[in-house]
Amino acid sequence: VGYFPPTQGDIHSEKAGIYAQASADYKKTVFLEGTVRRDESTALPKDNRDYVYYSLSSSFVFSELLRKNGNADWLNFSKLRLSYAEVGNDLPPGLPGFRTNNGLISGYPMASNSTTFVDYESLRPERQKSWEVGLEASMLDRRITVDLSLYKTNTEDLLFSVPQSTATGYTFSLVNAGETENKGIEVALGVVPVRTPNFEWSMNINWAKNKNMVVALNEGRENLQLANFQMTSLNATVGQPYGTFRGIGYQFLNGQPVVDEDGIYINVQDQVLGNIQPDWLGGVYNKLSYKNFSLGFLIDVKSGGELFSLDQAYGQSTGLYPSTAGLNDLGNPLRNPIDEGGGIIFPGVKEDGTPNDIRLDASAYGTIGGNIDVSPDQAFIYDASYVKLREANISYTLGDNVFKKGFIKGITLGLVGNNLWIIHKNVPFADPEAGTSSGNIQGYQSGVMPTTRVISFNAKLNF
């Protein structure tokens, strides 16, 4: 039995801030608000310990003017808004770079260095700069509501651990790694198609599209590897969205992958194979209410973005998946020897552009998937889009007519289900949202477990 001594940490950190806010309005129609804040943190080097950031926002409630003129009885509320904000961010307490006390072994104190080097004399706080313009409106007795936003956000001096030579005694170095940009649009629409004294149907629709870009990296870098997934890597590449997959890809001719004289795909080294950023996100929530009954359900949609599945690479190479044991174009088991009508022809074209007709023996290990000499990394990059029934709920409310006496005024009983149904997906045998990590490292499936469907019952009491 191995002996694992306890670890010990002693972290001292202080952060102090000064905050000021001012606001003004003109006839409840034009509003202006500003904030300024100065923080000082011991997690940063002495020369860069304090940082100042601020925000300025304005809004114009033009529905007030329209109603005064009697020209917009159908318009309940409308507002234009414009804002600019800066936000600073320092290092969290207990960052890598300290020695760790590993306790005593045979009476001798043991300690180890962190694998991440931190040059505290050069670090600067992160700074996020954001612009936003938006429109809010409600009309027809609030039967229709709209919230529209356009934004642009740049994050400068990103604090990130970058790989470095292990000859230094460290694996990573914590630095201000670069700048990223996000810009896009968000729309929220609320509609009440039906409203009667006893029945109401309401819909809330949201849609968002974000364009992400790595603007710059430190020290003139063009690429920063975020993670290595055995066959591919996840990267921040200048001019590309944050989280690009790089690896071995197909060679294409007129949009078709090209095979060599042996019928095996021609590989092209160090290609951009996709990225984790979705094209857009959306959702529709419907709620139907009849007297004391209520039924609601949420459809959640993600379009675009990719993931890499090591499960598929290994599963196909070892014959785990049904696709490795099906019938070929001749109607015979593809694992049969070629002289018995087996084998497989990879989809694609030859180098001269003619359709591929070279049959490969598929009875050997690695002919299908997982073997870099046969299938490049790109074969296991999948579209991570999905359509899901994210939530459904039903409830019934007992009101004052039941609880005529006592301190309880009402009770609502409900049944809620989450992650109920994957209506559509493109990743085989796995939930596109299942993965081994979150945060900066995403888009990787290795030994993922099935996602969990949750059914719960709740009771809400009113007093």
Side-chain angles (χ1 to χ4, degrees), residues 9-14 41-44 90-100 114 116 118 120 174:
D10 190 12
I11 301 171
H12 296 277
S13 180
E14 295 183 6
S41 172
T42 58
L44 292 168
D90 65 337
L91 302 171
L95 262 168
F98 298 97
R99 290 184 178 90
T100 300
S114 168
T116 300
V118 182
Y120 285 100
L174 183 66

Side-chain angles (χ1 to χ4, degrees), residues 305-352:
E306 283 81 33
L307 61 81
F308 170 71
S309 176
L310 192 65
D311 293 340
Q312 283 293 315
Y314 283 169
Q316 291 188 30
S317 69
T318 56
L320 177 65
Y321 294 115
S323 59
T324 66
L327 302 179
N328 61 14
D329 58 305
L330 301 176
N332 300 317
L334 59 87
R335 291 187 184 181
N336 284 357
I338 291 180
D339 58 6
E340 296 180 11
I344 186 172
I345 298 175
F346 286 163
V349 297
K350 300 177 183 179
E351 294 182 81
D352 60 4

Side-chain angles (χ1 to χ4, degrees), residues 195-275:
R195 178 183 288 163
T196 69
N198 292 325
F199 176 76
E200 182 174 294
W201 171 27
S202 62
M203 299 175 62
N204 291 312
I205 304 167
N206 64 80
W207 184 84
K209 182 177 178 62
N210 179 73
K211 184 177 181 180
N212 173 276
M213 190 69 64
V214 178
V215 178
L217 295 173
N218 72 318
E219 299 180 355
R221 300 172 190 256
E222 290 297 317
N223 186 76
L224 172 61
Q225 186 177 109
L226 307 175
N228 190 305
F229 298 150
Q230 296 188 36
M231 296 173 63
T232 62
S233 62
L234 190 69
N235 302 264
T237 305
V238 175
Q240 295 279 347
Y242 183 90
T244 56
F245 293 105
R246 301 186 75 95
I248 299 175
Y250 296 107
Q251 177 178 307
F252 288 97
L253 178 63
N254 298 324
Q256 296 291 322
V258 180
V259 301
D260 60 17
E261 63 274 9
D262 297 320
I264 297 173
Y265 288 123
I266 298 176
N267 295 337
V268 182
Q269 301 289 324
D270 194 24
Q271 297 294 297
V272 174
L273 307 178
N275 68 82

Side-chain angles (χ1 to χ4, degrees), residues 343-421:
I344 186 172
I345 298 175
F346 286 163
V349 297
K350 300 177 183 179
E351 294 182 81
D352 60 4
T354 60
N356 178 32
D357 58 2
I358 305 171
R359 192 173 302 276
L360 297 175
D361 189 312
S363 62
Y365 171 86
T367 301
I368 304 174
N371 186 341
I372 201 61
D373 294 327
V374 178
S375 298
D377 306 340
Q378 191 170 1
F380 309 106
I381 299 289
Y382 292 92
D383 177 14
S385 302
Y386 61 76
V387 180
K388 291 187 176 184
L389 177 58
R390 181 72 68 182
E391 178 185 312
N393 61 79
I394 186 170
S395 64
Y396 181 75
T397 300
L398 302 171
D400 294 339
N401 57 334
V402 176
F403 301 96
K404 296 181 179 179
K405 296 181 180 180
F407 61 94
I408 298 178
K409 302 301 182 184
I411 182 171
T412 300
L413 305 176
L415 186 66
V416 181
N418 291 285
N419 293 327
L420 295 174
W421 179 23

Side-chain angles (χ1 to χ4, degrees), residues 59-220:
S59 59
F60 172 41
V61 184
F62 59 89
S63 56
E64 290 293 320
L65 295 179
L66 295 175
R67 281 204 298 266
K68 287 179 181 179
N69 296 329
N71 297 326
D73 294 338
W74 53 273
L75 185 63
N76 301 109
F77 177 79
S78 58
K79 178 175 74 173
L80 284 171
R81 61 179 186 270
L82 175 66
S83 64
Y84 174 79
E86 292 192 10
V87 178
N89 181 39
D90 65 337
L91 302 171
L95 262 168
F98 298 97
R99 290 184 178 90
T100 300
N101 182 352
N102 293 325
L104 298 175
I105 297 180
S106 300
Y108 294 96
M110 302 296 292
S112 61
N113 285 328
S114 168
T115 58
T116 300
F117 173 73
V118 182
D119 183 2
Y120 285 100
E121 298 306 315
S122 63
L123 290 181
R124 302 178 300 278
E126 288 183 351
R127 187 170 295 273
Q128 187 179 87
K129 301 178 179 180
S130 303
W131 286 94
E132 191 235 5
V133 58
L135 169 67
E136 298 174 41
S138 62
M139 58 200 75
L140 302 178
D141 196 21
R142 304 190 183 276
R143 296 279 291 267
I144 300 176
T145 60
V146 179
D147 193 330
L148 171 66
S149 297
L150 300 172
Y151 63 88
K152 178 176 177 291
T153 301
N154 285 67
T155 304
E156 301 174 352
D157 291 328
L158 276 165
L159 291 165
F160 208 86
S161 293
V162 301
Q164 69 173 42
S165 171
T166 54
T168 63
Y170 297 92
T171 306
F172 298 94
S173 180
L174 183 66
V175 297
N176 294 103
E179 178 184 352
T180 62
E181 179 182 272
N182 288 278
K183 56 184 178 181
I185 179 173
E186 296 178 349
V187 182
L189 174 65
V191 181
V192 183
V194 180
R195 178 183 288 163
T196 69
N198 292 325
F199 176 76
E200 182 174 294
W201 171 27
S202 62
M203 299 175 62
N204 291 312
I205 304 167
N206 64 80
W207 184 84
K209 182 177 178 62
N210 179 73
K211 184 177 181 180
N212 173 276
M213 190 69 64
V214 178
V215 178
L217 295 173
N218 72 318
E219 299 180 355

